[in-house]
Amino acid sequence: MLPHRGPGSKSKMKPVTEESNPKAKDIDRRSTIEIVRLINEEDKTVADAVSLVLDSVAAGVDLIVERLKSGGQLIYVGTGTSGRLGVLDASECRPTFGVSADLVRGVIAGGYDALHRSVEAAEDDPEQAARDLQSFGISSRDAVVGISASGNTPYTFGALEFAKKIGAATVVVSCNPDSRMARVAEVSISPVVGPEVIAGSSRMKAGTAQKMILNTLSTATMIRLGLVYGNRMSNLRATNEKLRRRACAILSEEAGINDEEALRMFDASRGDLRVALLMVRSGMSRDEAERVLDSYGGSLRRALDGLSQ
């Protein structure tokens, strides 16, 4: 529910992310240790703010899972810091959960250049957001998560409006519950972290809150899709030596075999940890394990539970 505005209230309120923090009024007069302590004290409040909106986070996860199970994609959209956080979270899903790079994608106003330098003017163009989403082949099967500290950024608002118009699921992650995006999205996730230590610098507490929420959205989604076994990255892709060692260590610990045998079975599975675990646990051949895994939608947990029944 949006805050009530009584008679005589302004029609357009300043977002809380733009307000001045009274605790930091004299921050430019403080010593270095006082500055960093104040920043740290303010950062401590972020997790508590996020904890108050977990029902909305869970609703966002369920909405995203529904669309991905139907063959859709998850698209993060944002500008500036918010856009960079979306691109970061999207890019981490492939190595962590072994999903296609097309399953979770990040769209940032200004494109690639905006990832490493300021392209602030790009955030004022809502029509460009629609064009950018179209270039990603967006459809009604997809879920779009708009990320904006204020919840009012024109580019991100335009993306959500377009997504809603074509029937895609819409979620907003902001730090202002009284925003335009909160009104248009199906699910609004809006932790109130309060004014920043440096007024308007939403890369700080607001950025931290957004990163926590995006991490939770993507991780919980992948768990619900069956791409985690226990708390293990069962679907990771061993694209370098570190990940290969991690995969073999997981196989060794979960299957109760030594490192040498784990490496042999991992190679025999053609580098698929889920298949290797099925082979060790059931005595199946690689081809048999692959067929069983496919029949359970790629979920190692469901495959093992099915075999034990």
Side-chain angles (χ1 to χ4, degrees), residues 60-81:
V61 170
D62 288 341
L63 193 62
I64 293 166
V65 169
E66 176 189 337
R67 295 306 175 103
L68 297 190
K69 281 185 174 180
S70 299
Q73 59 184 331
L74 167 58
I75 304 175
Y76 292 132
V77 183
T79 71
T81 297

Side-chain angles (χ1 to χ4, degrees), residues 216-249:
T216 304
L217 283 175
S218 58
T219 301
T221 292
M222 297 304 160
I223 293 170
R224 289 290 312 280
L225 290 175
L227 299 178
V228 173
Y229 176 69
N231 66 339
R232 304 288 198 178
M233 300 180 198
S234 59
N235 203 39
L236 70 81
R237 291 292 177 260
T239 54
N240 61 26
E241 190 56 36
K242 178 190 76 172
L243 293 175
R244 182 178 169 82
R245 288 197 302 271
R246 179 180 295 167
C248 289

Side-chain angles (χ1 to χ4, degrees), residues 60-280:
V61 170
D62 288 341
L63 193 62
I64 293 166
V65 169
E66 176 189 337
R67 295 306 175 103
L68 297 190
K69 281 185 174 180
S70 299
Q73 59 184 331
L74 167 58
I75 304 175
Y76 292 132
V77 183
T79 71
T81 297
S82 297
R84 295 179 192 106
L85 289 171
V87 172
L88 173 63
D89 197 70
S91 67
E92 292 290 348
C93 286
R94 185 178 187 185
T96 305
F97 302 108
V99 297
S100 163
D102 295 334
L103 186 69
V104 186
R105 310 173 78 169
V107 178
I108 182 171
Y112 175 79
D113 285 348
L115 292 175
H116 56 89
R117 67 181 179 86
S118 175
V119 190
E120 302 303 338
E123 72 179 48
D124 294 330
D125 190 348
E127 288 78 19
Q128 183 59 48
R131 291 191 291 270
D132 289 345
L133 285 178
Q134 287 175 311
S135 73
F136 276 64
I138 186 174
S139 76
S140 60
R141 296 185 304 172
D142 300 330
V144 174
V145 177
I147 314 162
S148 167
S150 70
N152 296 313
T153 311
Y155 178 92
T156 313
F157 181 75
L160 286 175
E161 271 200 318
F162 179 75
K164 187 172 184 178
K165 180 180 178 181
I166 67 169
T170 53
V171 178
V172 62
V173 177
S174 77
C175 293
N176 176 26
D178 183 22
S179 71
R180 293 199 300 162
M181 292 183 206
R183 297 185 187 99
V184 75
E186 291 175 65
V187 175
S188 173
I189 305 170
S190 302
V192 180
V193 299
E196 302 286 3
V197 167
I198 303 300
S201 182
S202 54
R203 69 186 180 86
M204 301 184 77
K205 288 191 297 182
T208 300
Q210 289 171 331
K211 187 175 192 305
M212 291 176 69
I213 290 167
L214 296 181
N215 282 166
T216 304
L217 283 175
S218 58
T219 301
T221 292
M222 297 304 160
I223 293 170
R224 289 290 312 280
L225 290 175
L227 299 178
V228 173
Y229 176 69
N231 66 339
R232 304 288 198 178
M233 300 180 198
S234 59
N235 203 39
L236 70 81
R237 291 292 177 260
T239 54
N240 61 26
E241 190 56 36
K242 178 190 76 172
L243 293 175
R244 182 178 169 82
R245 288 197 302 271
R246 179 180 295 167
C248 289
I250 292 172
L251 181 56
S252 175
E253 292 171 19
E254 290 294 326
I257 57 180
N258 61 39
D259 293 345
E260 184 178 344
E261 179 65 6
L263 178 58
R264 188 184 72 79
M265 292 303 295
F266 185 67
D267 287 340
S269 73
R270 291 190 290 205
D272 190 321
L273 178 56
R274 299 166 303 166
V275 171
L277 275 165
L278 274 175
M279 291 168 65
V280 174

Side-chain angles (χ1 to χ4, degrees), residues 20-74:
S20 178
N21 189 329
K23 296 177 184 177
K25 286 281 190 183
D26 63 345
I27 195 169
D28 61 333
R29 295 177 179 271
R30 300 195 185 193
S31 68
T32 302
I33 188 61
E34 289 174 326
I35 291 170
V36 297
R37 279 178 178 159
L38 176 57
I39 292 172
N40 180 250
E41 286 168 6
E42 289 294 293
D43 284 345
K44 289 177 183 177
T45 68
V46 175
D48 288 338
V50 171
S51 74
L52 297 177
V53 298
L54 292 182
D55 285 347
S56 296
V57 176
V61 170
D62 288 341
L63 193 62
I64 293 166
V65 169
E66 176 189 337
R67 295 306 175 103
L68 297 190
K69 281 185 174 180
S70 299
Q73 59 184 331
L74 167 58

